[in-house]
């Protein structure tokens, strides 16, 4: 049996993973992760040439960069939401003498609905 079917399946999976990353489909990524692990285990048991490994390495590197950027974006959104929540609760300002003071927002007893 040759390595070609497994390497081809992994190349196809890497393309699907790239598409999922570009579309922000994180549910699909978790499904692909299990399949990728199984294919990686199958490849570990077979001798591979540099010609077989090069496109896989490039695809893995490309997807890792996309994943890192996606995670950075998620962290930025989370930080921004935290900033907005803090601003809703209180605002920091400075008086005429340059002294910092916090203005607390009035407590709301109203239930906020979000879509």
């Amino acid at each position: 049996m040759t390595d070609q079917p497994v390497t081809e399946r992994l190349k196809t999976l890497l393309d699907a993973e790239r598409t999922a990353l570009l579309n922000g489909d994180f549910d699909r990524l978790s499904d692909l992760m299990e399949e990728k692990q199984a294919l990686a285990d199958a490849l570990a048991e077979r001798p591979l040439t540099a010609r077989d490994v090069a496109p896989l390495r490039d695809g893995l590197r490309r997807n890792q960069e996309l994943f890192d950027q996606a995670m950075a974006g998620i962290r930025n959104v989370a930080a921004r939401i935290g900033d907005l929540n803090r601003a809703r609760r209180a605002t920091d300002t400075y008086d005429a003498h340059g002294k910092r003071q916090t203005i607390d927002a009035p407590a709301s007893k109203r239930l906020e609905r979000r879509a």
Side-chain angles (χ1 to χ4, degrees):
M1 184 174 197
T2 66
D3 295 295
Q4 193 64 22
V6 176
T7 57
E8 287 302 315
R9 286 187 1 224
L10 188 53
K11 286 179 198 174
T12 301
L13 182 132
L14 291 173
D15 289 339
E17 183 180 58
R18 180 178 190 272
T19 301
L21 283 164
L22 291 172
N23 292 331
D25 188 355
F26 296 108
D27 292 331
R28 177 83 174 122
L29 286 174
S30 65
D31 296 339
L32 291 173
M33 190 63 65
E34 293 174 16
E35 188 178 347
K36 187 165 68 170
Q37 183 62 46
L39 289 172
D41 291 343
L43 282 177
E45 299 171 0
R46 299 177 178 185
L48 296 172
T49 65
R51 197 172 117 210
D52 292 333
V53 173
L56 298 176
R57 182 186 59 233
D58 294 342
L60 287 166
R61 184 178 300 134
R62 176 193 66 202
N63 288 357
Q64 185 62 49
E65 289 172 4
L66 287 172
F67 184 75
D68 291 344
Q69 292 302 315
M71 290 303 298
I74 290 170
R75 282 190 290 274
N76 287 340
V77 167
R80 181 67 179 141
I81 289 172
D83 291 344
L84 292 171
N85 284 335
R86 279 189 291 283
R88 191 176 341 167
R89 287 190 302 266
T91 300
D92 291 334
T93 187
Y94 296 89
D95 64 13
H97 303 287
K99 184 179 176 188
R100 182 177 171 182
Q101 60 185 137
T102 300
I103 301 171
D104 291 325
S108 175
K109 295 181 181 181
R110 194 175 128 220
L111 178 64
E112 181 178 341
R113 294 182 186 186
R114 295 187 180 201

